[in-house]
Structure formats: C-alpha cells, structure tokens
Amino acid sequence: MFLLKSVFHSALSLAVAYAASLNQVTNFGDNPGSTNMYIYVPDSLPTNPAVIVALHPCGGSGPEYFSLYDYHTPADQHGYILIYPSATRDSNCFDAYTAASLTHNGGSDSLSIVNMVKYAISTYGADASKIYVTGSSSGAIMTNVLVGAYPDIFAAGSAFSGMPYACLFGAGGASPGNTNQSCAQGQIKKSGAQWASFVHNGYPGYTGLYPRLQVWHGTADTLIVYALLGQEINEWTAVMGLSFTTNETNTPLPNYTKMIYGNGNQFQAFSAQGVGHFVPTDVDTVLDWFGITGTLPTSSTSISKTTSRTQLPTTSTTAISGCVVAEYGQCGGIGYAGCSTCAPSYTCEQLNDYYFQCL
Ligand SMILES: *[C@@H]1O[C@H](CO)[C@@H](O)[C@H](O)[C@H]1NC(C)=O
Ligand SMILES: *[C@@H]1O[C@H](CO)[C@@H](O)[C@H](O)[C@H]1NC(C)=O
Ligand SMILES: *[C@@H]1O[C@H](CO)[C@@H](O)[C@H](O)[C@H]1NC(C)=O
C-alpha cells in the first residue's frame, strides 16, 4: 500500500512538472519597442509547429490576454506555439502611430514582435509559413500594422475592433487617452487607393501576397467607431484587389454578418449587430481561418497562396530549418514530418491533404 501510494505521488508530481505554462522570454533578440515576450509551448509539438501571436488591448498585458481567451487548450490539442507580447509604453498600447512601427524593419513594437516570431522559429523550428496574428482593440490595430509592414512574416490575421494600417500615423499616440482621436472617432476617411499607398510605403518594393485577413467590428462601438470597419475594408480590399461578393447573415453567430470579398479565402469582414467595444474573440472561427482546425478551402488558387508563404529571406529560412526541399519534393501533408522549406524560387503547394509538393 505504501509503495503504491508513493508511486502514485511521483506520477502525479511528474504530470504537474510537465504541464505547459505561459513563460516570459527575456533574451529573444533586438527589442526596440521594449516589448515583453511571453510564450506558451505545448508539451507535445509537431516538427514544424505553427505560431499564433495574440495581442492584448490597451492597458492590458500578454498574461492577461492569455487568460481572457482560451487559445492554449486547442494549442495542446493541435500543437501550435502561442506568443503573447506585452506593450510597456503609452498606457500599454501597441505602437501603431510612429513611422518606425509602421515601416518594415523600422523598429519599435512591430519589429520587437517580429523578433519574437524569429526566436520561436529558431528555438522551436516553427514553420515560417504558418505564422498568424490576432488581437483585440489595440491588439487589432497592431494586427493591421503587422499585416501591412510585415506581409512576408505573417500568413494570416484576425483583428477584433481595430483600425486600418496607418490610420494613427501622425496622431502622436495610440491610446484612448491621447488628445487626437480623429481616427478612433471615424473622422479619417480614405479611398482604397489612398490606404493602399500607405500600405505599400510601409514595405516599399514588396511584391508578394499580403496575409489573409479577417476583421471584426461591433455596430455599437463608441471607442473605435463602427465606421472604422468600412475603412479597413477599403484598405485591404484595395491592397488585395478584391471586390464585394456576398453577405452571409447570422454567421458565425446570431446578429453577426459575414461579408465576403473575392472568393472569401483572402479577406472577410464581420459586422456584429449591437455589439460594442470590443467584439469578443470567437476562437473557433479564428483557428479555422488560420487553417489550424477545419479545412482550408480546397481546389482554389488561394490555397496555394496560404501554404506557399515561405517568404522570409531564403538565406535565413534555410539557416533556420537547416533543410531545403528540391523541385517536386514533398514539403508537407498529414503525417509528413520532414522539411517544409522549398529551394529558392519554388513554393510549397498543397496537392491534397496528404501531399504538398515544391513547385
Ligand atoms: C491627428 O491624427 C491623425 C492621424 O490619426 C493625423 O493625420 C492628424 O494630422 C492629427 N491631427 C493633429 C491636429 O495633429
Ligand atoms: C452586407 O452587410 C453589411 C453589414 O451588415 C451591410 O452594411 C451591407 O449593406 C450588406 N450588403 C448587402 C449587399 O446586403
Ligand atoms: C439580435 O438582435 C435583436 C435586435 O437588436 C435582439 O432583439 C436579439 O436579442 C439579438 N439576438 C442575439 C442572440 O443577440
């Protein structure tokens, strides 16, 4: 009996010792935004796990946002890494207003966050083509910033109650306490072409695809007014060259309308009737959008856009994973645990769920 009990106790302490938790990382690299990094790494990971960056609202923190929405139980199940940055300046709002943060490799919070992603790639062998970003309020504004300034890093985004990339440029601050609330109050209205030129100036010379993006907004929002949803739509449909296709009402929840642009695989917007600031995260829909659960749309050209986004500079991608797949080689698929980096000028295309090939 005594023996049995002590065996039971050691098994229990083993289980406790191995339970994953949110941990701070202090040495993730260059940190121009003085942004803190927290990471959740499930005990069991596939060879090249996906990464989700989750961004808190103003006044919040990474650990607080970690507790707000449960992305970690599905992380244990599906094997992806979570990064929770904490903004430390401007009332803990992410910097979405300086030229540095809005510019590719310009500095500030956006570069700090990208360096956290690179840390996860080099430390855990994370898949550079499966980096996702989501956030609420300030975190949603920052999602727009990251998608605009670092389209080569992120494969998809989901922004809850944010603003277009560059809407705060020149506002002098990003917090609700800042005196200049022109953007938040809907006084900044630009055409798609005008917004798109801001985005293109954030990363001049970039010719690749922009991340797949979904944006959410409540019609009763008074802090970042509902009109900002329309401005986000103007911006990203112009950048991606998409036009309105159709509405799906009561999707994914009653009183929500899903607005589909193009074939719906690249950009979608959700209008939440009667919801204020901010729209609660629908984790299931976000994980579907990132392709972590559910199925990505099949047999469309967009699927290869999603699966082929290995767009970090070839040298660093090669160095990170230490492997390269030649033309026609397998680079992914269910049950495949090998290298997923295609040789320069080839992209990893999904032929079916079980076979991805460098083409
Ligand atoms: C207020 O902020 C906007 C950006 O959100 C900027 O374009 C505008 O110039 C600012 N107004 C003043 C008076 O600084
Ligand atoms: C689609 O839904 C949005 C949000 O409810 C609405 O503003 C828009 O008018 C709808 N468009 C059509 C064509 O029904
Ligand atoms: C949907 O909106 C209607 C009208 O505003 C409201 O009466 C109803 O309670 C809402 N339903 C849900 C599930 O929120």
Side-chain angles (χ1 to χ4, degrees), residues 24 26 38 58 94 125 130 132 140-141 155 168 186 203 213 217 237 247 255 268 280 304 327:
Q24 186 166 8
T26 51
Y38 295 85
C58 279
F94 290 104
K130 292 182 182 161
Y132 309 110
I141 301 169
L168 287 174
Y203 189 0
L213 182 65
H217 223 102
T237 57
N247 276 350
N255 290 354
Q268 40 185 241
S304 62
E327 189 183 11

Side-chain angles (χ1 to χ4, degrees), residues 10 82 86 101 104 108 112 133 167-168 177 180 198 209-211 221 272 320 338 352:
S10 58
L82 286 158
S86 279
S101 209
H104 186 77
S108 198
S112 291
V133 58
C167 196
L168 287 174
N180 183 342
F198 275 112
L209 292 161
Y210 276 77
D221 195 333
I320 284 159
N352 58 51

Side-chain angles (χ1 to χ4, degrees), residues 167-171 180 182-183 188:
C167 196
L168 287 174
F169 179 54
N180 183 342
S182 311
C183 175
I188 295 180

Side-chain angles (χ1 to χ4, degrees), residues 145-172:
V145 168
L146 289 165
V147 163
Y150 295 91
D152 54 335
I153 299 289
F154 296 94
S158 183
F160 291 83
S161 310
M163 300 169 180
Y165 167 93
C167 196
L168 287 174
F169 179 54

Side-chain angles (χ1 to χ4, degrees), residues 65-310:
Y65 201 56
F66 176 84
S67 314
L68 185 58
Y69 300 118
D70 185 4
Y71 278 106
H72 51 278
T73 304
D76 290 338
Q77 194 184 343
H78 300 287
Y80 57 83
I81 291 169
L82 286 158
I83 295 175
Y84 283 88
S86 279
T88 61
R89 305 171 296 168
D90 192 19
S91 308
N92 296 354
C93 303
F94 290 104
D95 176 4
Y97 69 96
T98 66
S101 209
L102 290 164
T103 304
H104 186 77
N105 289 336
S108 198
D109 286 336
S110 62
L111 185 55
S112 291
I113 292 167
V114 164
N115 287 338
M116 295 176 197
V117 168
K118 290 181 175 172
Y119 170 90
I121 292 170
S122 61
T123 307
Y124 300 101
D127 186 338
S129 70
K130 292 182 182 161
I131 311 297
Y132 309 110
V133 58
T134 184
S136 304
S137 192
S138 175
I141 301 169
M142 200 58 188
T143 296
N144 278 266
V145 168
L146 289 165
V147 163
Y150 295 91
D152 54 335
I153 299 289
F154 296 94
S158 183
F160 291 83
S161 310
M163 300 169 180
Y165 167 93
C167 196
L168 287 174
F169 179 54
S175 89
N178 185 41
T179 48
N180 183 342
Q181 293 296 313
S182 311
C183 175
Q185 287 306 306
Q187 285 142 15
I188 295 180
K189 299 187 179 76
K190 295 186 192 297
S191 67
Q194 288 171 322
W195 283 126
S197 72
F198 275 112
V199 172
H200 291 137
N201 287 337
Y203 189 0
Y206 178 73
T207 55
L209 292 161
Y210 276 77
R212 309 163 70 243
L213 182 65
Q214 58 178 202
V215 293
W216 306 68
H217 223 102
T219 62
D221 195 333
T222 54
L223 194 67
I224 298 177
V225 298
Y226 179 64
L228 273 304
L229 181 68
Q231 297 300 313
E232 285 175 302
I233 292 170
N234 283 355
E235 180 167 87
W236 297 113
T237 57
V239 167
M240 297 177 193
L242 303 172
S243 50
F244 175 75
T245 303
T246 190
N247 276 350
E248 285 175 12
T249 52
N250 297 314
T251 308
L253 297 167
N255 290 354
Y256 282 53
T257 298
K258 177 180 180 179
M259 292 173 258
I260 295 174
Y261 294 82
N263 67 6
N265 297 340
Q266 201 65 19
F267 182 79
Q268 40 185 241
F270 294 88
S271 170
Q273 183 64 41
V275 177
H277 194 77
F278 42 82
V279 174
T281 288
D282 178 2
V283 173
D284 290 347
T285 301
V286 175
L287 294 179
D288 275 354
W289 179 244
F290 291 166
I292 284 166
T293 53
T295 46
L296 280 171
T298 50
S299 68
S300 74
T301 49
S302 290
I303 185 73
S304 62
K305 291 177 184 174
T306 310
T307 53
S308 68
R309 298 192 51 91
T310 311

